[in-house]
């Protein structure tokens, strides 16, 4: 499993006393996770403190968890947000970031050090930076508050730099400490791909953090006589998580294949003719499987039964999605609002129309 700390949170959430075992309900699980961490005394099983109940945490992570228990609801929400965004970004792809009904969260498919594994590492790290930075701003954490980023150079000199901004510096540092802790641990059980996988994860975690941290913006609010906007107060603001997801999806599309150098100490590009990857780029060690057929061993779920678009030339088109196996067509009825009329004043009244549409699913 490439993101064991994530798995830990899921195991924990699933084992929580009133967890709903519906795996597509990420949002609910996130909320439950939040409750669990807010009221830890309610949920301590036996005499074990909460951080040792979260399976999958390395010894160093357990220490951080114990020390920063009030951060854990944010970590949990960050992980959920990363997964939901992954599912959105990959909804039209053969591998659609689906989760499986067991403790591995994504199934064995991410044991392969592929682009997909790179994306998952990055987006979940980004999620944690995002939620922790926001929680600092909202005063939910004891060890951080508003952002202390210095005033940006180009900011108009009449404008005030002083609103309470998202603490992306703190979010970045905390996510680095917590997520990379396990990769840096000396006697940490090695990944199946050994040191190369560790280096790959560390790099991709950093790329994910940067996708949030380096793209924070300046947001401003107007003041002044009757909204004249002669005065402005400005602060540091996180990018929306959709922007983060879009950015990392671009990085996924342009990810760089790497391998060990001769000495086996560093990762280098497999093919030197491309540009050298930066710290914001994603790295992978192995080509991805085609994800066409279900395969218990690799964990690929296959695309049988997936919806496809008959006219699209892209990945969501039936040709590519179904890997040439063909598709079945069903006629179904969809209901939609139609013949909407505006009534004075002020509401819109619509009828419900039924329309037949063809849907296609892969054989
Ligand atoms: C993702 O793919 C799996 C396996 O092919 C499928 O069961 C699931 O319904 C898909 N999820 C979405 C949201 O399309
Ligand atoms: C199918 O793909 C075509 C071309 O990309 C697009 O115009 C159309 O909206 C898609 N249909 C659906 C139902 O998504």
């Amino acid at each position: 499993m490439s993101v064991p700390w994530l798995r830990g949170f899921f195991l924990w959430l699933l084992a929580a006393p009133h967890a709903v075992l519906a795996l597509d309900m990420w949002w609910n699980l996130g909320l439950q996770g939040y409750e669990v961490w807010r009221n830890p005394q309610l949920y301590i099983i036996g005499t074990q403190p909460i951080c040792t109940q979260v399976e999958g945490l390395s010894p160093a992570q357990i220490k951080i968890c114990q020390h920063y228990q009030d951060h854990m609801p944010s970590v949990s929400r960050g992980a959920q947000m990363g997964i939901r965004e992954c599912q959105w970004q990959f909804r039209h792809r053969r591998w659609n970031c689906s989760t499986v009904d067991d403790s591995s969260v994504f199934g064995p498919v991410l044991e392969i050090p592929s682009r997909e594994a790179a994306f998952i590492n990055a987006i979940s790290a980004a999620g944690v930076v995002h939620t922790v930075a926001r929680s600092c701003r909202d005063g939910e954490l004891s060890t951080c508050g508003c952002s202390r980023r210095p005033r940006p150079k180009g900011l108009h000199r009449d404008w005030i730099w002083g609103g309470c901004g998202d603490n992306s510096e703190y979010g970045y540092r905390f996510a680095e400490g917590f997520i990379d802790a396990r990769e840096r641990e000396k006697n940490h059980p090695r990944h199946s791909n050994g040191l190369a996988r560790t280096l790959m994860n560390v790099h991709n975690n950093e790329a994910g953090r940067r996708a949030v941290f380096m793209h924070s913006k300046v947001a401003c609010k107007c003041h002044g006589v009757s909204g004249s906007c002669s005065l402005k107060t400005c602060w540091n603001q996180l990018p929306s998580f959709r922007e983060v997801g879009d950015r990392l999806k671009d990085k996924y599309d342009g990810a760089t294949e790497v391998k060990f150098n001769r000495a086996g100490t560093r990762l280098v590009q497999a093919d030197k003719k491309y540009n050298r990857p930066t710290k914001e780029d994603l790295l992978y060690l192995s080509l991805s499987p085609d994800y066409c057929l279900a395969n218990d061993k690799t964990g690929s779920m296959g695309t049988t039964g997936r919806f496809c678009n008959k006219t699209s030339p892209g990945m969501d088109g039936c040709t590519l999605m179904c890997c040439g196996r063909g598709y079945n067509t069903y006629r179904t009825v969809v209901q939609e609002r139609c013949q909407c009329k505006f009534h004075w004043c002020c509401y819109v009244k619509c009828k419900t129309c039924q329309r037949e549409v063809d849907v296609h699913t892969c054989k």
Side-chain angles (χ1 to χ4, degrees), residues 198-273:
T198 300
L199 294 175
M200 170 182 151
N201 286 356
V202 166
H203 179 99
N204 294 325
N205 292 344
E206 171 71 8
R209 292 190 294 268
R210 283 178 178 240
V212 178
F213 177 75
M214 304 291 275
H215 299 276
S216 292
K217 316 170 202 205
V218 175
C220 300
K221 194 169 79 180
C222 287
H223 308 281
V225 192
S226 59
S228 64
C229 208
S230 52
L231 262 183
K232 277 192 184 184
T233 303
C234 305
W235 61 87
N236 183 53
Q237 178 143 313
L238 293 169
S240 76
F241 205 65
R242 179 54 37 82
E243 284 174 67
V244 173
D246 289 345
R247 178 165 289 116
L248 288 174
K249 179 65 178 351
D250 284 347
K251 296 295 183 189
Y252 164 92
D253 289 330
T256 307
E257 187 180 350
V258 290
K259 57 175 193 196
F260 259 140
N261 61 354
R262 280 228 195 94
T265 52
R266 268 187 323 115
L267 297 179
V268 294
Q269 276 164 279
D271 187 340
K272 295 273 183 331
K273 76 169 178 277

Side-chain angles (χ1 to χ4, degrees), residues 309-313 316:
N309 181 332
K310 199 174 143 183
T311 53
S312 166
D316 62 333

Side-chain angles (χ1 to χ4, degrees), residues 100-121:
V100 296
D101 195 1
D102 74 25
S103 59
S104 69
V105 185
F106 298 101
V109 71
L110 296 187
E111 295 286 351
I112 304 167
S114 61
R115 286 169 191 263
E116 289 74 34
F119 184 85
I120 283 287
N121 269 79

Side-chain angles (χ1 to χ4, degrees), residues 9-17 19-23 29 101-103:
F9 277 96
F10 274 84
L11 277 179
W12 170 250
L13 294 171
L14 293 177
V20 176
L21 280 163
L23 278 150
L29 285 174
D101 195 1
D102 74 25
S103 59

Side-chain angles (χ1 to χ4, degrees), residues 88-328:
W88 164 263
Q89 294 290 342
F90 285 84
R91 69 201 182 285
H92 294 317
R93 312 274 311 201
R94 287 182 193 154
W95 177 77
N96 65 2
C97 207
S98 59
T99 52
V100 296
D101 195 1
D102 74 25
S103 59
S104 69
V105 185
F106 298 101
V109 71
L110 296 187
E111 295 286 351
I112 304 167
S114 61
R115 286 169 191 263
E116 289 74 34
F119 184 85
I120 283 287
N121 269 79
I123 196 91
S124 41
V128 174
V129 177
H130 206 276
T131 46
V132 170
R134 189 56 55 85
S135 298
C136 290
R137 184 203 71 179
D138 292 344
E140 288 170 8
L141 308 180
S142 57
T143 48
C144 60
C146 307
S147 169
R148 291 198 194 155
R149 274 204 169 174
R151 183 187 174 92
K153 290 226 167 60
L155 196 69
H156 193 292
R157 67 188 157 83
D158 292 343
W159 297 350
I160 299 159
W161 180 249
C164 181
D166 293 313
N167 199 336
S168 45
E169 322 84 274
Y170 186 93
Y172 175 93
R173 268 184 286 122
F174 183 80
E176 178 174 43
F178 184 75
I179 298 171
D180 287 359
R182 64 178 313 107
E183 305 287 355
R184 301 194 195 288
E185 218 145 356
K186 288 251 157 43
N187 46 8
H188 157 254
R190 284 279 165 237
H191 296 288
S192 45
N193 305 91
L195 177 62
R197 180 64 184 262
T198 300
L199 294 175
M200 170 182 151
N201 286 356
V202 166
H203 179 99
N204 294 325
N205 292 344
E206 171 71 8
R209 292 190 294 268
R210 283 178 178 240
V212 178
F213 177 75
M214 304 291 275
H215 299 276
S216 292
K217 316 170 202 205
V218 175
C220 300
K221 194 169 79 180
C222 287
H223 308 281
V225 192
S226 59
S228 64
C229 208
S230 52
L231 262 183
K232 277 192 184 184
T233 303
C234 305
W235 61 87
N236 183 53
Q237 178 143 313
L238 293 169
S240 76
F241 205 65
R242 179 54 37 82
E243 284 174 67
V244 173
D246 289 345
R247 178 165 289 116
L248 288 174
K249 179 65 178 351
D250 284 347
K251 296 295 183 189
Y252 164 92
D253 289 330
T256 307
E257 187 180 350
V258 290
K259 57 175 193 196
F260 259 140
N261 61 354
R262 280 228 195 94
T265 52
R266 268 187 323 115
L267 297 179
V268 294
Q269 276 164 279
D271 187 340
K272 295 273 183 331
K273 76 169 178 277
Y274 299 113
N275 289 341
R276 264 176 77 164
T278 68
K279 287 192 169 179
E280 295 195 45
D281 291 322
L282 297 184
L283 307 182
Y284 64 94
L285 289 158
S286 307
L287 294 174
S288 305
D290 61 20
Y291 301 109
C292 280
L293 298 174
N295 180 332
D296 286 343
K297 208 146 138 228
T298 64
S300 166
M301 294 191 189
T303 61
T304 302
R306 288 283 302 276
F307 288 108
C308 62
N309 181 332
K310 199 174 143 183
T311 53
S312 166
M315 258 335 285
D316 62 333
C318 292
T319 315
L320 287 176
M321 180 62 82
C322 308
C323 309
R325 296 187 307 267
Y327 53 87
N328 298 312

